[in-house]
Amino acid sequence: VSHNKNHVIQDAPHRWRNIEELVYKDEDGAATFKDVTRRVLFGEDHVDGMEVRYFEVDAGGHTTLEKHEHTHLVIPIKGKGACLVGDEVLPLAMHDLVYVPSWAWHQFRADESEVFGFLCLVKVERDRPTLPTADEITEMKANAEVAAFIRHQ
Ligand code: MN
């Protein structure tokens, strides 16, 4: 059976044929995260320079707290979690949609007892994420809700 790269088939819930599980981040040893995997569903040569990825965060895990010039469109498709976008903490459920603007601090967390999976649209050509400095962490923590949410070590 030939593989049609224009049709990505789900073989099991949130697992797709010929799509390999990747480490969440391999390029930056300084970035902190916990229990996150990545799958590239559509890479370059599909939607005009866009990529569609699937990230899965294990219960209690989190993505890197970061910001960058490029934007994200995130669509949760498994479980429950929450995210920081700018200075807002947003609870996220399946089929919500959330936009991460340019240079907004962001971080995604799974609920303590649920795996959280989401699609993320991003430009193929994009800048590297920036991590918060100690001063920026202090600044973010001035907001009590943000302070309680963020994980940065
Ligand atoms: Mn990001």
Side-chain angles (χ1 to χ4, degrees):
V1 180
S2 69
H3 175 51
N4 180 345
K5 69 188 182 87
N6 296 327
H7 183 197
V8 178
I9 297 166
Q10 184 182 239
D11 285 325
H14 310 97
R15 298 294 178 264
W16 295 269
R17 195 169 304 170
N18 299 318
I19 302 290
E20 59 172 331
E21 179 178 308
L22 304 168
V23 294
Y24 166 58
K25 280 200 168 137
D26 44 10
E27 77 278 14
D28 193 342
T32 63
F33 57 90
K34 182 174 184 281
D35 299 334
V36 188
T37 59
R38 174 170 64 98
R39 286 170 170 81
V40 180
L41 303 178
F42 287 105
E44 48 195 322
D45 305 326
H46 280 96
V47 188
D48 300 332
M50 300 297 294
E51 272 182 26
V52 179
R53 300 93 49 84
Y54 175 71
F55 293 93
E56 203 168 88
V57 186
D58 274 353
H62 60 85
T63 64
T64 304
L65 175 58
E66 63 180 32
K67 66 177 180 177
H68 37 66
E69 190 274 333
H70 65 272
T71 60
H72 295 306
L73 182 65
V74 170
I75 308 167
I77 60 169
K78 177 180 180 141
K80 269 192 212 159
C83 69
L84 172 76
V85 179
D87 59 0
E88 285 188 299
V89 175
L90 309 169
L92 294 177
M94 251 190 284
H95 307 149
D96 284 358
L97 295 102
V98 63
Y99 175 66
V100 178
S102 249
W103 299 113
W105 289 114
H106 55 285
Q107 183 168 48
F108 292 82
R109 287 180 51 194
D111 279 12
E112 288 305 319
S113 57
E114 275 200 68
V115 176
F116 180 53
F118 57 87
L119 299 173
C120 177
L121 272 69
V122 75
K123 285 196 294 189
V124 173
E125 303 276 342
R126 57 186 183 269
D127 59 325
R128 296 276 305 272
T130 299
L131 304 176
T133 62
D135 283 351
E136 287 171 322
I137 292 284
T138 303
E139 217 171 288
M140 271 184 254
K141 284 187 168 174
N143 179 324
E145 194 186 10
V146 173
F149 184 79
I150 58 176
R151 299 286 180 272
H152 55 93
Q153 275 165 10

